Amino acid sequence: MKLEEYLTKVEERIKSKGRIVSEWVKSERNVEVEGITAALVMQGNMKQLKKGLILSRLSAAMTVPDWNTAALFFLRKGETRVSDIQKIIRATRIFMARNDITWAWLCLVSEREFSSKVKDFVRGYLKRELGVFLVDLGRNEIYSRSLNDPVARNGFKLLDPLKVEKEKVDGSKRGVLKIRR
């Protein structure tokens, strides 16, 4: 699977299946994040979930936090170094602060294999509010921290290239989503 195909399919996958964690209300391509271009940025809110029966929605209204969420995708065509990831993490954390985002997925997507140093760095990144993922499209593999963390666990389910590859894409839904009220 190619980089652009992955982005299109993962965007659709998050819009449809990602509603279990957040209502995704905005999606943009090629967004500047502190001088680094994110190929895809999606934003949402956990409190705005509109799924389920009336009783489950009422229960969720009282128990689900009103947290803004995001998913940022950066494409890597060359070799990725730990310093590259640190720079992207810093930019993402600034983006989160400026947009009042409580938790986010940061996904680096490449058709090349990531080095063991880079994989180890990502596995050891323990800031709970930011799940960092490496998606290797050449090997159809995804790397992140422990699945014990809910941000990482939900990200694995939605960002895994093997699952994304099977996703059927409805091209009519592409573009910027309008914020629902």
Side-chain angles (χ1 to χ4, degrees):
M1 179 169 31
K2 298 292 181 201
L3 294 169
E4 197 59 41
E5 180 185 4
Y6 175 82
L7 284 180
T8 301
K9 287 184 175 187
V10 80
E11 180 179 18
E12 289 298 318
R13 184 170 175 79
I14 291 172
K15 286 178 191 176
S16 62
K17 293 179 176 53
R19 291 189 173 170
I20 59 171
V21 293
S22 183
E23 182 69 25
W24 300 94
V25 296
K26 187 176 179 184
S27 178
E28 297 177 281
R29 295 286 181 118
N30 301 316
V31 177
E32 284 294 316
V33 178
E34 297 302 309
I36 304 168
T37 301
L40 173 63
V41 174
M42 298 180 74
Q43 294 183 46
N45 183 284
M46 290 175 64
K47 193 75 157 188
Q48 295 180 9
L49 290 173
K50 296 178 175 79
K51 165 179 154 176
L53 300 173
I54 190 85
L55 289 176
S56 63
R57 285 188 295 192
L58 285 172
S59 172
M62 293 183 285
T63 59
V64 174
D66 188 15
W67 288 350
N68 292 324
T69 59
L72 295 91
F73 295 84
F74 296 89
L75 302 182
R76 303 298 300 171
K77 295 190 179 177
E79 180 183 347
T80 303
R81 298 180 312 258
V82 171
S83 61
D84 298 329
I85 295 174
Q86 290 170 328
K87 183 178 177 182
I88 293 170
I89 287 172
R90 269 192 301 281
T92 300
R93 291 181 63 81
I94 292 169
F95 176 85
M96 289 172 68
R98 288 188 177 157
N99 291 284
D100 192 30
I101 294 169
T102 305
W103 67 260
W105 294 323
L106 182 153
C107 190
L108 281 78
V109 185
S110 179
E111 293 173 332
R112 295 180 58 165
E113 185 176 359
F114 294 96
S115 72
S116 58
K117 278 186 179 183
V118 168
K119 291 177 196 174
D120 290 342
F121 175 80
V122 168
R123 285 185 187 121
Y125 188 79
L126 300 177
K127 302 284 186 193
R128 291 188 56 106
E129 67 277 0
L130 181 60
V132 180
F133 299 87
L134 302 174
V135 174
D136 179 348
L137 296 178
R139 300 171 62 109
N140 282 332
E141 294 178 343
I142 184 169
Y143 306 93
S144 189
R145 63 179 174 240
S146 169
L147 291 178
N148 293 333
D149 175 57
V151 173
R153 184 174 45 250
N154 288 318
F156 268 109
K157 291 177 188 175
L158 294 167
L159 307 174
D160 184 344
L162 289 174
K163 293 177 182 174
V164 169
E165 189 170 34
K166 295 175 185 174
E167 196 73 21
K168 294 181 182 173
V169 176
D170 177 7
S172 66
K173 294 181 182 176
R174 284 202 61 207
V176 176
L177 295 175
K178 300 296 179 197
I179 296 178
R180 298 181 201 111
R181 298 197 190 271

